[in-house]
Amino acid sequence: MKTNNLIIILMIILVAGFLIYTNLTKEKTTISVSGQSTIEALADEASVYIGIDTLEKTAEDSKNKNAEISENVLNALKNINIDEKNIETSSYNIYPEYDYSNNRQELKGYRTLNVLKVKTQDFSKIGKIVDASIDAGANTIQSINFELSQEKQNQVKTEAISEASEDAHIKAQATAQGLNAKLGKVKSVTVQDYSYIPFPYYAAESGIAVKQALATEILPRNLEVNAVVNVVFELN
């Protein structure tokens, strides 16, 4: 009798344990939502891309001539109090250039293109940077972009991702309510995208044309910052 009761108790425990285990390990229904946000941020930095372009008969002459002008440009920028840490080489290329007229390929010489990127958070200096560079021998201003400094990017990124996450939560709550379910815990989160596009204030081949265009005051622009967050929630 006692043995039978013990067997029954063990069976009950086993069945109860199995049911509890099944309930705990049972895959719950999930919902995947995408949260988005777009915020505006005022540009706090400008980048001026200065081109020093030389064409000479030999690659060595072209490189040396370019180096001489580049040095003059750097000195001119220092003279208007541009810190060296805000000047960097954006690109540098030396390549042969050919004349294909009269159905012939004739070597014209070797072109060297050195592009310097100059950053400033003082927008009143943009015109001075262009003037000093062109006067020192630079022949192209490739672009002037309004951008966000790294410090401001970090600040805006936090805000944009936070708003995108909140948007995802609102969408998930609304979906759960429509399904007569309760929103459960977060299973996974993926920050799919965070981006902003610098605003190109000016781009031209002629440095002289840019100098003339910069006769008016330059004001910063608002930039759109976008973030996308994918979140998977459990439904109870």
Side-chain angles (χ1 to χ4, degrees), residues 54-106:
T54 53
L55 178 65
E56 300 292 337
K57 290 296 183 182
T58 69
E60 188 69 18
D61 286 345
S62 180
K63 182 186 72 171
N64 291 340
K65 182 66 174 177
N66 197 286
E68 179 185 338
I69 297 173
S70 297
E71 186 65 26
N72 291 339
V73 171
L74 290 172
N75 288 332
L77 292 171
K78 290 175 188 175
N79 288 337
I80 59 170
N81 298 318
I82 301 298
D83 197 316
E84 286 186 29
K85 69 181 182 182
N86 292 324
I87 306 172
E88 63 183 68
T89 299
S90 175
S91 63
Y92 185 89
N93 290 292
I94 303 176
Y95 54 91
E97 188 162 306
Y98 296 94
D99 181 359
Y100 292 95
S101 60
N102 301 321
N103 297 318
R104 294 192 315 171
Q105 176 181 303
E106 183 178 345

Side-chain angles (χ1 to χ4, degrees), residues 161 189-194 227-230:
I161 293 175
V189 181
T190 305
V191 179
Q192 180 181 326
D193 190 29
Y194 159 77
V228 178
V229 175
N230 294 323

Side-chain angles (χ1 to χ4, degrees), residues 16-224:
F18 175 77
L19 291 174
I20 293 171
Y21 174 79
T22 302
N23 186 57
L24 290 173
T25 58
K26 184 173 65 176
E27 184 108 9
K28 290 190 175 182
T29 301
T30 60
I31 176 175
S32 178
V33 292
S34 178
Q36 301 178 356
S37 71
T38 299
I39 60 177
E40 288 193 343
L42 188 65
D44 67 335
E45 187 171 274
S47 290
V48 183
Y49 291 83
I50 302 162
I52 298 101
D53 190 345
T54 53
L55 178 65
E56 300 292 337
K57 290 296 183 182
T58 69
E60 188 69 18
D61 286 345
S62 180
K63 182 186 72 171
N64 291 340
K65 182 66 174 177
N66 197 286
E68 179 185 338
I69 297 173
S70 297
E71 186 65 26
N72 291 339
V73 171
L74 290 172
N75 288 332
L77 292 171
K78 290 175 188 175
N79 288 337
I80 59 170
N81 298 318
I82 301 298
D83 197 316
E84 286 186 29
K85 69 181 182 182
N86 292 324
I87 306 172
E88 63 183 68
T89 299
S90 175
S91 63
Y92 185 89
N93 290 292
I94 303 176
Y95 54 91
E97 188 162 306
Y98 296 94
D99 181 359
Y100 292 95
S101 60
N102 301 321
N103 297 318
R104 294 192 315 171
Q105 176 181 303
E106 183 178 345
L107 179 65
K108 293 172 62 177
Y110 290 84
R111 187 174 295 279
T112 302
L113 178 58
N114 182 22
V115 179
L116 300 176
K117 176 183 178 182
V118 183
K119 296 190 297 183
T120 181
Q121 294 185 352
D122 183 353
F123 295 116
S124 67
K125 282 190 173 181
I126 296 176
K128 295 177 183 178
I129 290 170
V130 171
D131 286 346
S133 300
I134 298 303
D135 292 344
N139 38 24
T140 63
I141 300 298
Q142 295 200 336
S143 66
I144 300 171
N145 293 345
F146 282 120
E147 301 173 354
L148 301 177
S149 65
Q150 190 59 56
E151 181 181 355
K152 191 158 188 178
Q153 278 191 62
N154 293 339
Q155 172 193 336
V156 175
K157 182 189 296 187
T158 300
E159 185 180 347
I161 293 175
S162 177
E163 288 191 10
S165 301
E166 185 179 351
D167 181 53
H169 189 250
I170 291 171
K171 289 176 180 176
Q173 280 185 319
T175 304
Q177 185 177 345
L179 296 172
N180 292 320
K182 288 185 179 180
L183 198 63
K185 66 180 182 180
V186 174
K187 289 208 70 174
S188 66
V189 181
T190 305
V191 179
Q192 180 181 326
D193 190 29
Y194 159 77
S195 63
Y196 90 95
I197 300 175
F199 177 82
Y201 174 77
Y202 203 86
E205 287 300 317
S206 169
I208 303 301
V210 179
K211 286 183 67 173
Q212 293 171 349
L214 293 178
T216 58
E217 184 180 5
I218 299 176
L219 298 175
R221 300 294 181 95
N222 277 328
L223 305 176
E224 283 193 351

